[in-house]
Amino acid sequence: MAAFDPVLIGLALYLGWKADQFGKVVLVAIIALVGSVLVSWVVTGIGVPWPAPIGRELPTFFPVRTGAALVYAIVGYSARRVIAPRA
């Protein structure tokens, strides 16, 4: 479920779409990972159910989140190049 965190997907796809060089995809993945972990931590802390909760006794699955963030960022980057190629 950690790979399907809505914040992670949204950030990685959006920022991957906006990246103008492939090298920035790694930075996009890191930003999406940090953003999703912070939102998950806050939401879990206030007691709202979340697909990938973070807490002292809950698993965080950082490797899964990192891999998913990279995949979603590459998908966003590639989609921009296919849909709206530059002249």
Side-chain angles (χ1 to χ4, degrees):
M1 289 302 294
F4 300 110
D5 185 349
V7 175
L8 177 76
I9 294 170
L11 277 173
L13 286 175
Y14 176 74
L15 294 175
W17 181 274
K18 293 293 186 178
D20 58 351
Q21 297 174 353
F22 187 75
K24 293 180 182 177
V25 170
V26 174
L27 295 174
V28 165
I30 293 169
I31 292 167
L33 173 68
V34 170
S36 75
V37 166
L38 289 176
V39 170
S40 297
W41 179 64
V42 169
V43 169
T44 303
I46 60 175
V48 176
W50 195 250
I54 293 180
R56 189 177 318 163
E57 66 282 347
L58 302 170
T60 57
F61 299 112
F62 284 122
V64 173
R65 287 179 189 265
T66 305
L70 188 58
V71 167
Y72 291 131
I74 290 171
V75 167
Y77 178 82
S78 300
R80 170 80 183 257
R81 299 310 168 265
V82 170
I83 294 172
R86 299 192 182 185

